[in-house]
Amino acid sequence: MSDPRTPLPLPEVRMQPVQSLPSTPHRTALLDAAGWRAAGIAAFAKLHPRAMLGSPVMAVVLAGTLLAAVLTASGHAPFGFGIAVTAILFVTVLFANFAEAVAEARGRGQAASLRSARRDLMARRIVGANEERVAASALKPGDQVIVSAGEWIPSDGEIESGFATINESAVTGESAPVLREAGTDRSGVIGGTKVLTDEIVVRITSEPGHSFLDRMIALVEGASRQKTPNEIALTILLAAMTLTFLVVVVTLPALASFVDASIEPLLLIALLVCLIPTTIGGLLPAIGIAGMNRALSANVLAKSGKAVEVAGDIDTLLLDKTGTITHGDRQATQFHPVSGVTREQLRDAALLASLADVTPEGKSIVALARSLGAGAVEAEHANFVGFSANTRMSGVDLPGGRVLRKGAVDAIERNVAALGGSVPAELRARVDQVARGGATPLVVADGHNVLGVVALSDVVKHGIRERFARLRAMGIRTVMITGDNPLTAAAIAAEAGVDDFMAEARPEDKLARIRAEQQGGRLVAMVGDGTNDAPALAQADIGLAMNSGTQAAKEAGNMVDLDSDPAKLLEVVEIGKQQLITRGALTTFSLANDVSKYFAILPALFAAAIPQMAALDVMRLSSPRNAVLAALIFNALIIPALIPLALRGVRFTPRSAVSLLRRNMLIYGLGGVLLPFVAIKLIDLLLAAGFGV
C-alpha cells in the first residue's frame, strides 16, 4: 500500500431494527356513538334524488315508497295496510343509505385521526446562507428546510443531507421510531411527523394542500373513491334486472285480467321490491368503501378501490429478496482470500473499496474489517467511487494508479478483464462455496488481480415459506428477484419456497419481466422503494411502494405501505381476495333470498282468483296481507343485519376457485334460500298474533 497522509474516517454503521411479518389487525367496534349518530343523519341526507340515482335499485324502491304514499293518501289502498307498506319501504331505503353512511363514517373516523397529525406548523426555510421562519403552508416544491430534534417536519420531502430517527406514529400507528437517511432508499419523510434525534435538511416535494396526509384524508373519506370495474359491471347488471322486473310488474295486471284476477297496486309495488335485488343493491356502495378501509386498517394506503380489487386477481407476484423474503440485514461475516493473498490484505482492500458504499452491506464490510483489526486508513488525493445499481461495484482510485474494486462476481470479472487481467480458477470454487451456504459472495480486486471473496449472510424471514404456500393455494405464482448470483439465489429460493427466481437482476430486468408476464395475459404485482424501482412499479398492475422510500417510488405505485414492510404485499393480495369474495358472497345471498320472498308474495297476489296457486304457499302464511308485510319487513331488516359482514368482509381462506364457488353456494346460496323461509314465517306469526293490518 502507498503511504498516504490524509486520514479517512470510517463511517459508523447504523442499522435499522428488523421488521417482523405483519400480523392480523385486531377487530374493533364498527363505530362509536358519535359515528352512529352521524351515519343516521347522513342516511336521511342521501334521500336527495341526485344521491339516489347512484343506486338504480334503491331509486326504484324510493319511487315505490312515494307511489305507495300517494295511493294511500288518495284512498286507492286500505289506509292501515298502505301506511304499513309505505313505512316499511321507506325504512328499507333508509337502511340502504345507512349501510353506505356507516362505511363512510368509518372512513371519516380514520381521517379525523390523520387530521390530528396535520397541524399549523412553522418551517425554517434556507435562503442563501441564512434561514427564515415561514408557515408550512407557504412552502413550495424545491424549498429546503432545516428540521432538528424535537421539531415537526413541515411538509413531504426528501432528505438532502443528514440522518435522523423520526416518530411516524401519527401516520402509521407504529410507536417505534424509524431511521431516515439522505442518499438511500429510505430518504422520504412525511409532513406532520416528528424528528426525535439529530438534524436533517429536507427538500420539499409537495404542493400546499396536496401532501401525503391530504391525499390520505381525501381517500379514506371516500371523496376520491372510484368504482372498480367489477363494481360497475355489477351495478349495470342490477340496473338491468331492475328494469326487467319493472316491465314484468307493469304488464302483470294485463296478464292477470285473462284469468279474471285483479291485483291491488300496492301489492304490485311490494312484488317489485321483493323481485329486485335490494339487499346487494343497498350494500354495494358499503362493500366498495369498506375495501379501501380494510386496506388502511392494515396500514396500506390504496390510491383507488380498483387497486384493492385488482390485488385479488393477481397471477404473478414479484418480490425483491432483500427485505421481503429475507430480513434485509445482510452482514459481512467472513473474508475468503485466494491463494497468495493474506486475510489481512483482503481485509484492508475490502475496507478501502467499501468506504464510499453507503448501503448497509458496504457499511457492514467496514465494520467487520475494523473488528478484525484494521486500523485507521489514510489516503491522499483518493478518488472514491460510490456503489451504483448499474455497475454493482464500489471502490477507490488511489495515487499511483492503484484501483481497488468490490462488487458482484460478474461485475468484478468484467472489470478485471477490461484491465487486462484474468480470474483465477480458484475464485469460482470460493464463490460457489459461499453461495451454496445461502450467503451472497462479493469479490474484491486490486487492479487486474483478484484478492478474494467477502461473504454476506442474511436470514430468511420466519413464516415466509408458509405465506408462499398460502399464495400457491390461491393460484398465485411467486418470483424472487435478486442481484445475487444464481447459486445464492437458488439456495434462498429453495429455503423460502418460491416458485421461480431471477438472479443477477438489474432494475431494467424487473421491468422486462413484468412486461413479459403481462404479455402472457397475467396480472402482476411487485414491491419497491427506490427511484430505480419507479418504472417497474408504474408498469405493474399492483405497485406497492414503501412509505420510507423515495417520492418517485410512492408516486409510481398505486399502493403505499405505511409500515414499509415489503412482505405486506402478501397481505394486500389477501385483502383483495377478501374484497372479491365478500361482494360475490353477498350477491349470491341477495339473489338466493329473493326465491323465498317469491313464495310469500305470489300466493298473496293470485290465491283468490286462482285457487291452484295455494300450492305455492309452502310457508302457510296467515293471510295475503300479512305475507306481503312479512316479506317486506324481512327485506328491510336483512340490509342492516348484513352491514357488519359487508364492512369486515367474508373470512378468507386460501383455496381454489372451484372450492370457493362451492363454499359460496353452500353457505350463501343455500343459506340465502333457507333463512328467509324461517324469518318470514316468524314475522308472520308475530303479525298474526296481533300486529297484522
Side-chain angles (χ1 to χ4, degrees), residues 492-516:
I492 297 294
E495 184 179 354
V498 296
D499 299 310
D500 195 6
F501 65 88
M502 287 179 62
E504 299 177 341
R506 299 166 300 171
E508 54 266 31
D509 296 329
K510 299 179 186 180
L511 186 59
R513 180 60 180 261
I514 291 172
R515 287 174 175 165

Side-chain angles (χ1 to χ4, degrees), residues 202-427:
V202 177
R203 175 175 53 84
I204 303 301
T205 57
S206 66
E207 294 279 357
H210 293 82
S211 69
F212 190 66
L213 273 177
D214 290 317
R215 293 199 303 271
M216 285 180 65
I217 291 167
L219 286 167
V220 299
E221 285 184 326
S224 302
R225 192 188 79 86
Q226 298 179 347
K227 289 185 176 181
T228 66
N230 283 347
E231 191 176 349
I232 293 171
L234 185 53
T235 301
I236 294 172
L237 174 63
L238 296 181
M241 292 177 65
T242 301
L243 180 61
T244 301
F245 288 127
L246 183 60
V247 172
V248 168
V249 170
V250 169
T251 58
L252 199 56
L255 296 174
S257 65
F258 286 103
V259 293
D260 296 324
S262 63
I263 306 174
E264 295 181 30
L266 212 56
L267 291 179
L268 288 174
I269 295 172
L271 175 63
L272 176 61
V273 171
C274 287
L275 282 172
I276 62 179
T278 51
T279 304
I280 186 61
L283 292 173
L284 191 58
I287 296 170
I289 296 171
M292 293 180 66
N293 288 345
R294 277 197 297 274
L296 190 61
S297 8
N299 265 2
V300 174
L301 173 63
K303 295 184 179 179
S304 69
K306 179 181 178 181
V308 177
E309 193 164 282
V310 170
D313 287 328
I314 288 300
D315 302 300
T316 305
L317 195 56
L318 302 184
L319 307 104
D320 279 329
K321 184 202 78 171
T322 305
T324 307
I325 295 173
T326 65
H327 282 296
D329 191 19
R330 292 194 302 184
Q331 298 288 293
T333 53
Q334 199 168 359
F335 294 115
H336 299 277
V338 297
S339 299
V341 178
T342 67
R343 195 175 301 272
E344 289 72 22
Q345 287 176 313
L346 174 59
R347 177 199 67 192
D348 293 342
L351 185 151
L352 277 167
S354 301
L355 285 175
D357 186 353
V358 298
T359 65
E361 292 87 351
K363 294 176 181 179
S364 74
I365 292 174
V366 173
L368 177 64
R370 187 69 175 271
S371 69
L372 293 177
V377 179
E378 296 183 352
E380 185 179 5
H381 305 302
N383 179 32
F384 289 99
V385 179
F387 177 81
S388 163
N390 291 323
T391 63
R392 298 163 69 214
M393 292 188 301
S394 66
V396 60
D397 298 333
L398 296 171
R402 189 180 182 196
V403 177
L404 294 175
R405 291 292 183 271
K406 173 236 37 182
V409 179
D410 58 326
I412 294 297
E413 287 178 344
R414 286 193 299 270
N415 189 67
V416 167
L419 294 175
S422 60
V423 177
E426 180 190 356
L427 178 66

Side-chain angles (χ1 to χ4, degrees), residues 93-111:
V93 177
L94 282 182
F95 281 161
N97 290 347
F98 184 69
E100 182 177 7
V102 168
E104 292 174 348
R106 291 190 82 197
R108 283 193 296 271
Q110 291 171 318

Side-chain angles (χ1 to χ4, degrees), residues 620-631:
R620 296 293 184 261
L621 302 178
S622 59
S623 70
R625 287 183 178 177
N626 280 356
V628 170
L629 292 177

Side-chain angles (χ1 to χ4, degrees), residues 24-50:
T24 303
H26 295 292
R27 287 188 172 181
T28 57
L30 289 179
L31 290 175
D32 56 15
W36 287 114
R37 286 194 299 272
I41 295 171
F44 283 92
K46 289 178 180 293
L47 291 173
H48 191 283
R50 187 179 300 169

